[in-house]
Amino acid sequence: MKFTLAAIGIIVTPLAHAFVPSHFGAPTVPSTSISTSTLPSSSFSLFAATLKKGKAAAQTSDPTFEPMRPPIDMPWSDIQSQLKSAFGYSDSEITAYSKLSKTELLNTYESMQLARLFENACNQQYMGGKIRGFMHLDNGQESIPALVSDSIKRTDKKYSYYREHTHALASGVEPGAVMAELMMKEGGTCKGAGGSMHIFDPETYFQGGWALVSEQLPYAAGAAKSILQDRVLGLSDDSNFKKMDVPPSADDDRISVVFIGEGGSQNGRMAEVLNSAAKDNLPLLIIVIDNGRAINTFTPDIATNSDVYKQGAHYGVPGILVNGENAEDVVKAGRATVDYVRKNGPAILQVHTYRFNGHSPADPEHERGRKDEKKWARASQDPIKIFEEKFMSDGTLTEEELSEVKKRVQRQVKDAVDFAEASPMPPVELAKELEFPDAPDTDYNLKTAPAFAAEVNERTISKEKMDTIQAHIADLRAKSDAGEITIGDAINLAIHEEMLRDPTTTMHAEDLQAGSSYDIPKLTQQTYGQTRAADEIIDEGHFIGKALGEGMNGYRPIVELMNTNFGIYGMAELSSAGNTFATTGGKFDMPMTIIGAGGTAPNQSLGAEHSQPFHAYVMGIPGLKIGTAASPAAAYGITKSMIRDNGPTFLFAPVKMMKEAKGSVDLDKCLPLNKAALLHEASDSSVANGKAVTVLTYLHGVKEAQISLQAIQDEGLDIDLIELRSLKPLDKDTIRKSLARTHKLAILDESTYSGGVGATISAIISEEMFDELDAPVRRLCMDDAPVPYATSMEKAVVKRGEDLIDAVAELVMKQH
């Protein structure tokens, strides 16, 4: 029986590099004996599977063809041995996994057909121009979604990569919503904001679709950590996926599942996640999709060890290898592996398979051996054809039963395409609405604390620990009253107050037990325990990524960077944190607060690596709110607001002033995240005489400007000194109001001449406030040269108070 594309309303358009699946008449191969025969010379059809009674028709084989990566012959007995040695299963336990019922086999077949036919439909829509951008198809790997559909529950967390359509479908995401997302329609899973590589669905806990190779690994670890946090705190999700004071069920066995290619699993994030999973015994399943191709490159050309399932041995994380062309065994082994993770902890499941198509439909496929390999794999390694051949040949399933399944799936795929076609395009206004979860002018003082805070604190913090932390808080508040609290202590005070106010607040840092370098996380682990306050390995990208996973699952993680320059390790994770709310169509908030000491103080002698303007580096990441604090008061109020914000925030504090600057804070008050602060206002007489200048600065520039103020005034000049407490969003109103008085602007900037914060602000002012200027903007920024260690050279690169004095005089005297 032959099915054509007309059955689902899709027109075939022959294109040179279009995806071409298997031939209808190609022979099928029993799962226990996998052939290496070549594809026949007859024409191709876009449908993968042929239903034929009995054995497949004979074909002409090319005995000289040898695949670059031979198939594996792995009978169920070999998998049984692995289950015993790796997972400790007994013979009697394995027996329960050794057979699928007829209904289960039909379900497996249906899942595979949905994956295949949906991807074929995607390819047609792509070739017709209705799906755009990058798209990555999964044909040939259908046994994996069959495993997911069989063993993974709706409430399990799922983290996939850019080839995730079939994983989403197998997780229960509506096919119409997935297709609409690919076709950039408002009815899509993410309202058309995500696209092919970013499928998200809260209802099924399907949490990506991530485009950067391997970035999903720490996110999944963070999601697994959130499951442990739920259990420790006694919290669970309500119907809106917000935490409520109801403990998980006594038999809660949720896990986090992450999909990764064998090429991506060579990334260092794999080692970090294995370490974390072992250390915390995370309920984490790593499914390695081993198709032998890292993008298109033959993986053994670039990786020494292709036995990814063995990578966990060093950490005590067991692994198992299965043959992806045998869907029955993949499902059976998957059940055993998933059950192990639910009961015991992390594990790796490596599925040896073949991907029939290139990395994307647009690829020229010039890579070594790829075209011949694809032809061979379509003919002899198709899991659907192998499944059909085996179970029709032994009489378990009939052609009519399989045909009925396929017809049902065809209707489902056609309905998905029709739904996507009918769905409208998203409104243009949606793009700006998805910039931040919380509006820039949010008053965080009005946000209410969770009603369950007191109950959770009482059952998770002992009286002794509560007494200790309350005494610590009282001591810090007394220092504030005396005007003696430091920036580091002010942040620590804000963190403890917020962690007690909202028990879903968590903490991540290096050297956390010791309080890190500036006491920012001091006493957090000692008070709230290791599950809420995690001492992390020395890789910022890893624990920023874990925080992202927690943030997507109802928690409010705080990440302290001992030095903000170390955040360079986490640029991928920071970028995705900024994009997540928008990419998911606003369906997932992304609360995350990152705090650290940084900046480039004059005469700090820290050298180039510790003096980089990381605040300028992250300015270009959409979705981040970026603040600075040069005083304890600013640090305290901004920290509290950032923790309460539903999006990603980043607070930079001045490294050289963390313990030096002391003062008081406005206790129990949040500061806005979109406002600058006028620290000194020029006198009316200086303004009237044209001798006033607006000065914008932040971090160490605040101190430099303040110590220069008297010298400026001694020259008969004055300044409006504005601290840029919000670098993004920028407080243009405060700047405009000052320029309307002074008409002159100097920016004392702790970033470089090229691509710096001052460059951005200068451009905005020139574009939007040009009429207020009577002189060009004067930028006092770092030179583009790396910051030297020696003080004598450093003066040539980093600007300071004396440079500001000269600049103010030049602007007023028009000596620019």
Side-chain angles (χ1 to χ4, degrees):
M1 183 179 293
K2 191 170 184 179
F3 293 95
T4 66
L5 286 173
I8 58 171
I10 298 174
I11 299 173
V12 180
T13 304
L15 289 174
H17 300 303
F19 164 62
V20 186
S22 301
H23 177 250
F24 268 92
T28 53
V29 181
S31 60
T32 55
S33 178
I34 299 178
S35 168
T36 59
S37 56
T38 59
L39 192 70
S41 59
S42 50
S43 61
F44 292 98
S45 165
L46 275 176
F47 272 76
T50 300
L51 302 178
K52 287 185 177 291
K53 293 181 180 179
K55 293 293 182 179
Q59 70 166 355
T60 302
S61 299
D62 180 359
T64 64
F65 179 77
E66 293 185 8
M68 296 175 64
R69 179 169 165 272
I72 57 175
D73 183 11
M74 181 173 287
W76 177 246
S77 59
D78 287 355
I79 296 175
Q80 289 178 313
S81 297
Q82 291 187 80
L83 292 174
K84 292 179 184 178
S85 60
F87 297 150
Y89 278 118
S90 66
D91 288 332
S92 60
E93 289 171 326
I94 292 174
T95 300
Y97 298 110
S98 295
K99 185 175 179 58
L100 299 184
S101 69
K102 182 172 182 176
T103 298
E104 291 167 339
L105 289 171
L106 286 172
N107 289 339
T108 296
Y109 183 69
E110 183 167 355
S111 180
M112 289 197 293
Q113 283 289 6
L114 177 58
R116 177 70 59 84
L117 299 183
F118 186 90
E119 294 290 69
N120 289 349
C122 288
N123 189 65
Q124 290 301 304
Q125 299 304 315
Y126 187 88
M127 294 306 170
K130 294 180 180 179
I131 296 175
R132 304 184 64 190
F134 296 112
M135 184 182 71
H136 311 85
L137 302 178
D138 204 29
N139 298 61
Q141 304 181 148
E142 288 81 6
S143 60
I144 295 166
L147 177 161
V148 173
S149 179
D150 178 82
S151 301
I152 305 304
K153 299 178 181 180
R154 182 188 69 84
T155 52
D156 293 332
K157 326 284 187 175
K158 300 100 177 170
Y159 281 79
S160 189
Y161 58 145
Y162 47 78
R163 200 181 307 279
E164 88 283 30
H165 313 156
T166 65
H167 305 156
L169 296 174
S171 299
V173 183
E174 283 296 323
V178 177
M179 184 63 74
E181 186 61 36
L182 271 64
M183 293 172 65
M184 63 183 72
K185 297 298 187 70
E186 190 175 16
T189 57
C190 305
K191 303 180 183 178
S196 173
M197 294 185 286
H198 304 288
I199 304 299
F200 292 84
D201 180 52
E203 294 287 339
T204 58
Y205 289 86
F206 193 81
Q207 302 179 343
W210 301 90
L212 302 178
V213 173
S214 306
E215 66 165 320
Q216 71 273 16
L217 287 170
Y219 308 160
K225 187 72 176 286
S226 76
I227 295 172
L228 300 185
Q229 290 163 345
D230 285 351
R231 295 170 184 169
V232 168
L233 297 176
L235 301 176
S236 57
D237 295 341
D238 63 17
S239 59
N240 294 315
F241 308 98
K242 304 298 183 184
K243 295 302 176 190
M244 60 179 176
D245 191 21
V246 175
S249 61
D251 61 349
D252 176 37
D253 62 357
R254 292 171 299 154
I255 65 173
S256 179
V257 183
V258 61
F259 303 85
I260 181 78
E262 91 289 344
S265 66
Q266 306 293 336
N267 190 290
R269 286 176 176 83
M270 185 72 163
E272 295 155 1
V273 164
L274 288 170
N275 175 76
S276 178
K279 179 175 68 71
D280 290 332
N281 198 35
L282 297 178
L284 177 66
L285 171 61
I286 302 172
I287 298 180
V288 179
I289 304 170
D290 175 14
N291 53 52
R293 294 281 167 174
I295 306 180
N296 283 315
T297 300
F298 186 50
T299 309
D301 286 350
I302 57 172
T304 300
N305 179 18
S306 294
D307 292 333
V308 181
Y309 71 103
K310 297 179 180 178
Q311 285 189 15
H314 176 69
Y315 303 93
V317 176
I320 184 173
L321 173 68
V322 297
N323 179 10
E325 283 64 61
N326 186 334
E328 179 194 18
D329 283 0
V330 171
V331 170
K332 292 189 299 185
R335 288 181 177 182
T337 306
V338 169
D339 286 349
Y340 175 89
V341 175
R342 294 194 192 283
K343 297 173 184 177
N344 299 290
I348 304 172
L349 173 64
Q350 182 173 351
V351 184
H352 182 283
T353 187
Y354 294 90
R355 174 163 43 87
F356 294 166
N357 44 311
H359 182 63
S360 75
D363 284 342
E365 300 181 6
H366 292 157
E367 66 278 3
R368 183 166 75 89
R370 185 68 173 122
K371 290 184 179 180
D372 290 340
E373 177 192 73
K374 284 165 54 179
K375 291 179 181 179
W376 165 80
R378 289 170 186 158
S380 64
Q381 301 300 304
D382 188 334
I384 296 179
K385 292 193 297 182
I386 291 171
F387 184 95
E388 291 172 346
E389 171 68 15
K390 176 179 180 180
F391 292 108
M392 283 197 296
S393 296
D394 67 13
T396 303
L397 302 174
T398 67
E399 179 180 351
E400 289 72 23
E401 288 170 328
L402 296 179
S403 295
E404 182 55 39
V405 169
K406 190 169 182 180
K407 288 177 182 178
R408 183 165 62 248
V409 172
Q410 287 170 344
R411 289 192 295 269
Q412 191 176 5
V413 173
K414 182 181 184 303
D415 289 345
V417 174
D418 290 345
F419 173 83
E421 291 273 17
S423 184
M425 295 289 285
V428 66
E429 296 81 11
L430 182 61
K432 194 63 178 175
E433 293 173 10
L434 293 175
E435 183 178 10
F436 301 119
D438 289 347
D441 61 353
T442 297
D443 185 348
Y444 298 93
N445 294 292
L446 302 180
K447 290 208 168 191
T448 58
F452 53 71
E455 290 83 357
V456 174
N457 288 337
E458 184 175 359
R459 65 175 176 253
T460 58
I461 304 173
S462 68
K463 183 180 185 304
E464 180 184 6
K465 291 180 178 179
M466 183 62 79
D467 289 345
T468 299
I469 197 59
Q470 291 291 4
H472 176 66
I473 289 172
D475 179 61
L476 294 178
R477 291 171 77 97
K479 286 183 178 180
S480 171
D481 291 340
E484 289 296 319
I485 195 169
T486 65
I487 292 176
D489 282 345
I491 296 173
N492 180 248
L493 173 60
I495 286 173
H496 280 294
E497 289 177 349
E498 294 302 308
M499 291 188 80
L500 291 172
R501 175 186 176 274
D502 184 349
T504 66
T505 307
T506 63
M507 187 79 205
H508 298 263
E510 297 163 349
D511 206 30
L512 179 141
Q513 295 176 56
S516 193
S517 294
Y518 305 106
D519 288 341
I520 286 174
K522 182 178 180 179
L523 290 182
T524 53
Q525 187 173 102
Q526 292 87 338
T527 303
Y528 312 107
Q530 294 183 23
T531 304
R532 278 186 70 190
D535 215 340
E536 298 289 358
I537 60 172
I538 304 178
D539 191 307
E540 286 70 14
H542 169 73
F543 57 87
I544 292 173
K546 283 204 302 188
L548 187 153
E550 289 180 15
M552 292 185 69
N553 285 282
Y555 288 89
R556 295 186 174 277
I558 305 166
V559 173
E560 191 249 0
L561 303 180
M562 192 177 298
N563 186 291
T564 54
N565 291 302
F566 304 159
I568 291 171
Y569 282 102
M571 285 297 287
E573 291 77 11
L574 286 170
S575 175
S576 289
N579 290 328
T580 295
F581 178 69
T583 300
T584 65
K587 292 186 177 181
F588 284 86
D589 288 340
M590 191 60 258
M592 179 197 295
T593 303
I594 302 173
I595 298 174
T600 312
N603 199 30
Q604 66 177 345
S605 298
L606 295 181
E609 291 294 328
H610 281 63
S611 300
Q612 298 179 78
F614 192 62
H615 46 283
Y617 298 177
V618 299
M619 278 282 283
I621 296 177
L624 290 183
K625 290 178 181 174
I626 303 172
T628 72
S631 66
Y636 174 83
I638 293 173
T639 297
K640 291 178 78 72
S641 294
M642 285 186 168
I643 294 172
R644 298 183 189 187
D645 192 273
N646 285 318
T649 58
F650 203 141
L651 177 61
F652 290 85
V655 64
K656 279 294 192 179
M657 298 168 60
M658 294 299 292
K659 296 180 179 180
E660 170 190 305
K662 296 182 180 180
S664 299
V665 306
D666 195 352
L667 293 169
D668 303 315
K669 292 297 192 306
C670 297
L671 288 176
L673 298 183
N674 67 331
K675 290 296 180 184
L678 180 62
L679 302 182
H680 174 80
E681 187 173 27
S683 66
D684 291 338
S685 61
S686 66
V687 170
N689 294 324
K691 295 186 176 182
V693 174
T694 298
V695 174
L696 306 180
T697 192
Y698 57 96
L699 295 178
H700 303 94
V702 172
K703 175 185 175 183
E704 293 295 311
Q706 288 174 327
I707 61 178
S708 303
L709 179 59
Q710 187 60 55
I712 291 171
Q713 291 177 325
D714 289 345
E715 295 293 328
L717 312 175
D718 211 343
I719 60 173
D720 273 2
L721 177 57
I722 296 174
E723 179 185 4
L724 298 173
R725 292 181 176 176
S726 176
L727 296 182
K728 194 170 74 171
L730 185 66
D731 182 3
K732 293 185 282 189
D733 291 341
T734 296
I735 296 171
R736 184 180 288 107
K737 182 178 179 181
S738 177
L739 285 179
R741 300 174 72 240
T742 68
H743 306 293
K744 303 174 187 66
L745 177 65
I747 305 174
L748 183 52
D749 180 18
E750 234 166 292
S751 61
T752 49
Y753 176 80
S754 300
V757 171
T760 297
I761 295 172
S762 178
I764 292 171
I765 291 169
S766 296
E767 292 168 1
E768 301 182 24
M769 307 176 202
F770 183 79
D771 292 344
E772 298 293 353
L773 298 173
D774 63 12
V777 174
R778 185 76 164 85
R779 278 199 293 145
L780 307 170
C781 55
M782 295 165 54
D783 191 81
D784 281 343
V787 178
Y789 171 69
T791 302
S792 57
M793 291 189 291
E794 181 262 348
K795 285 186 176 182
V797 176
V798 180
K799 300 300 183 289
R800 59 203 69 214
E802 60 199 55
D803 299 297
L804 178 63
I805 296 170
D806 291 341
V808 169
E810 290 171 2
L811 279 169
V812 171
M813 305 306 177
K814 301 193 184 302
Q815 296 175 356
H816 50 273

